[in-house]
Amino acid sequence: MTPQRWRTVKELAAAASELSAGEQCSYLVRSCGDDIELHREVVSLLEAAKQSPAFVERPAIESLAPELTGDAQQSLVDRQFGSYQIVRLIAVGGMGSVYLGRRADQEYQQEVAIKVIRGSFHDGESYRRFCQERQTLANLNHPNIARLLDGGRSEDGLPYLVMEYVAGQSIDAFCIERNLNLTGRLRLFREVCGAVHYAHQNLIVHRDLKPSNILVNAAGEPKLLDFGIATVIDAGGTPPSMFHTLTVQRCLTPDYASPEQIRGEPVTTASDVYSLGVLLLRIANGPPSFQNSKWFDA
Amino acid sequence: MTTGQVTQVLTELRSGNLHAADKLLPLVYDQLRNLAQRYLSQERAGHTLQPTALVHEAYIRMVGNADWEDRAHFFAVAARAMRRILVDHARVRSAAKRGGGEARWPIEAAENCAERPDEYVVALDEALTNLAGIDPELARLVELRFFGGLSVEESADVLKVSVRTVNRNWVVAKGWLHRTISGET
């Protein structure tokens, strides 16, 4: 390609990049005229830009050396988040790390789970939305829902959420270990449904119901974790690239995700109901191996 | 090289002697590597490194406070140095993965990252060298933003173009690179 030709291609692609898909199409048809080769060249550039991986939007150091940019996992131990102090790392997940924490002021003993979310807020507005959603969740008060206690950003801008710490095992493991009969399993499931129903009445959707988010404590009480957390994080608008990946990853575990979630369409209370259905099958029947069976398509 | 000598090189750069950058690059490279090492070994409680912190800290240490013109030149050189450091890092890591070595980065392993940044970045580095032959301005932009970690505004300042131009060119650059990397034409 001659330098002159490249300048034309670049010019057109750059201008088209600012237009909506529809405008782009007519703009390029208009500008390229009979030059089909030019049109093809510009379109292929724009297409490739769309398919370029999300991490390219963030500084390379974040994806290549996460140990430098804030995911040094143990490094947060003893750090204070709001009134709580981190004791140890519990788990590392897609959206960040979960730590065991306790009250920093020793006023009373309380163990909490502190979720430190990867990334940072773009601006004041995204932080405000995050706080708003956090408030909605903090108002959820149900014995079978792990409470959201606090949340905000640390001194150096790390978004975090503090939740009730639940010591227990996932609902499916609990059913197997206690060798619960069907009645026992259904009783447990009914309690889970009660909690989801309560949240739905408060217009909060879980979006990620699955056994690992439903822990049963030693007393046999189920507790739903992470209720609406996905919504809070989305509201915070933390790095779009990261969270886009996160959402995709979540959907890539499709056993419990509803068809509309897998298709990336808006999620409603019906999505949770779908996940509950899969959960029921799982705890009443064993593993969700019916994904390809015929009645599933109905 | 003392702070005074670094400033001297920057002055040469400003007066148009582009070869002066060659003198600065190895020094900035070493400085950045040392800083990165220090951050890694220290395990400072809860310290989170901002992506641009390395470049900014290297600047403060090597130059001190100079005017923006010098900063722009310095950032361009530092972004180049960051590119070398990060691509070497990615190359070593993707080679280790191919050799079946143990994954050293548990977070990444846990996420089972489908996009494989290491391999992609090694390929991007090569493609970027080709892009520099065709359109140096686009290549510099990618170096500043992606490897240097500069924001859109900072990149615009260094390149002396508008924010809008940076945004438009960014789309073209990443399209060109992705097309080259994925082997389509």
Side-chain angles (χ1 to χ4, degrees):
Chain A
M1 193 183 295
T2 64
Q4 179 57 45
R5 181 73 166 176
W6 167 247
R7 267 198 299 279
T8 313
V9 171
K10 178 184 175 184
E11 212 35 58
L12 285 173
S17 74
E18 293 179 314
L19 305 172
S20 70
E23 291 169 333
Q24 218 172 61
C25 198
S26 53
Y27 170 77
L28 290 178
V29 167
R30 215 167 46 238
S31 315
C32 297
D34 295 339
D35 198 337
I36 295 164
E37 190 50 37
L38 178 64
H39 186 268
R40 199 186 65 89
E41 181 71 23
V42 174
V43 169
S44 93
L45 268 183
L46 293 169
E47 270 309 305
K50 265 188 235 151
Q51 278 153 21
S52 164
F55 68 80
V56 172
E57 299 295 329
R58 308 283 312 160
I61 194 168
E62 284 188 12
S63 46
L64 297 183
E67 68 276 20
L68 276 176
T69 53
D71 289 320
Q73 305 166 31
Q74 289 298 344
S75 65
L76 295 181
V77 168
D78 289 338
R79 259 278 293 277
Q80 199 168 328
F81 286 83
S83 325
Y84 302 91
Q85 191 175 22
I86 285 181
V87 177
R88 65 175 167 85
L89 181 74
I90 301 175
V92 179
M95 63 177 87
S97 305
V98 185
Y99 298 85
L100 178 71
R102 61 162 176 246
R103 289 285 300 193
D105 52 17
Q106 307 289 339
E107 213 154 88
Y108 52 90
Q109 288 283 329
Q110 185 189 21
E111 291 197 320
V112 295
I114 302 176
K115 210 167 235 194
V116 180
I117 300 154
R118 191 188 306 243
S120 56
F121 296 106
H122 291 318
D123 50 30
E125 171 61 20
S126 63
Y127 181 62
R128 200 187 58 73
R129 279 201 309 271
F130 173 88
C131 292
Q132 207 168 37
E133 289 291 340
R134 180 198 65 190
Q135 193 50 49
T136 315
L137 289 188
N139 293 339
L140 277 187
N141 186 4
H142 189 279
N144 298 115
I145 296 177
R147 290 206 61 164
L148 179 69
L149 302 166
D150 193 11
R153 57 183 158 191
S154 65
E155 286 162 17
D156 49 1
L158 290 175
Y160 69 94
L161 293 165
V162 180
M163 279 160 290
E164 178 185 346
Y165 175 68
V166 180
Q169 59 189 145
S170 65
I171 188 166
D172 52 345
F174 181 87
C175 289
I176 292 165
E177 193 166 298
R178 296 286 181 105
N179 202 16
L180 285 191
N181 60 18
L182 188 61
T183 314
R185 292 175 189 223
L186 291 178
R187 192 171 291 139
L188 210 50
F189 180 71
R190 197 172 58 187
E191 286 187 80
V192 171
C193 288
V196 174
H197 178 65
Y198 167 83
H200 285 180
Q201 284 186 316
N202 287 278
L203 301 177
I204 293 169
V205 180
H206 190 295
R207 306 216 291 188
D208 197 17
L209 280 171
K210 57 187 176 191
S212 59
N213 274 335
I214 306 168
L215 298 189
V216 185
N217 63 21
E221 295 161 345
K223 288 267 191 187
L224 274 59
L225 309 184
D226 288 359
F227 225 111
I229 293 305
T231 316
V232 183
I233 292 170
D234 281 356
T238 29
S241 55
M242 294 284 179
F243 286 103
H244 174 68
T245 318
L246 182 76
T247 316
V248 171
Q249 276 167 0
R250 191 179 290 137
C251 290
L252 285 179
T253 319
D255 283 351
Y256 294 87
S258 65
E260 68 271 20
Q261 270 173 298
I262 293 170
R263 287 196 299 263
E265 290 164 14
V267 171
T268 67
T269 51
S271 313
D272 280 354
V273 175
Y274 179 95
S275 304
L276 282 176
V278 183
L279 176 72
L280 177 60
L281 266 160
R282 165 82 178 148
I283 60 175
N285 266 348
S289 53
F290 55 88
Q291 288 276 320
N292 295 319
S293 66
K294 279 189 180 130
W295 62 272
F296 181 70
D297 296 331
Chain B
M1 193 184 262
T2 63
T3 302
Q5 285 169 307
V6 174
T7 314
Q8 174 63 37
V9 173
L10 289 170
T11 311
E12 284 179 47
L13 272 172
R14 192 173 356 168
S15 59
N17 176 9
L18 293 176
H19 293 294
D22 296 339
K23 290 191 231 164
L24 197 54
L25 185 61
L27 297 158
V28 178
Y29 179 87
D30 285 343
Q31 179 70 250
L32 287 168
R33 274 192 71 93
N34 289 340
L35 284 173
Q37 285 298 334
R38 209 165 48 86
Y39 273 102
L40 277 176
S41 59
Q42 265 185 347
E43 271 212 50
R44 291 199 239 168
H47 191 93
T48 307
L49 183 69
Q50 293 301 317
T52 49
L54 277 181
V55 172
H56 284 270
E57 191 167 338
Y59 180 75
I60 302 279
R61 284 163 171 269
M62 298 184 77
V63 189
N65 291 313
D67 63 21
W68 169 252
E69 190 78 10
D70 282 348
R71 264 165 67 99
H73 284 303
F74 183 86
F75 280 169
V77 174
R80 170 74 47 90
M82 287 294 285
R83 175 178 168 192
R84 284 197 188 169
I85 292 170
L86 289 168
V87 171
D88 284 346
H89 188 66
R91 202 171 272 134
V92 167
R93 225 165 14 146
S94 65
K97 267 189 220 153
R98 275 201 304 276
E102 205 180 318
R104 285 174 56 204
W105 280 266
I107 291 182
E108 198 180 289
E111 286 188 349
N112 189 17
C113 183
E115 290 176 338
R116 304 171 77 82
D118 289 325
E119 281 85 348
Y120 192 89
V121 171
V122 171
L124 186 141
D125 177 57
E126 274 175 40
L128 190 56
T129 305
N130 293 336
L131 179 60
I134 297 163
D135 196 316
E137 190 194 17
L138 290 190
R140 285 185 72 200
L141 170 61
V142 174
E143 218 164 59
L144 291 170
R145 267 195 78 177
F146 186 59
F147 289 110
L150 298 195
S151 68
V152 172
E153 291 75 16
E154 285 171 325
S155 306
D157 277 339
V158 172
L159 294 170
K160 296 197 178 73
V161 296
S162 68
V163 165
R164 186 173 168 202
T165 300
V166 163
N167 282 327
R168 288 157 56 119
N169 282 349
W170 178 247
V171 176
V172 181
K174 77 181 178 189
W176 193 93
L177 291 169
H178 187 69
R179 199 175 63 174
T180 305
I181 293 163
S182 55
E184 290 154 26
T185 50

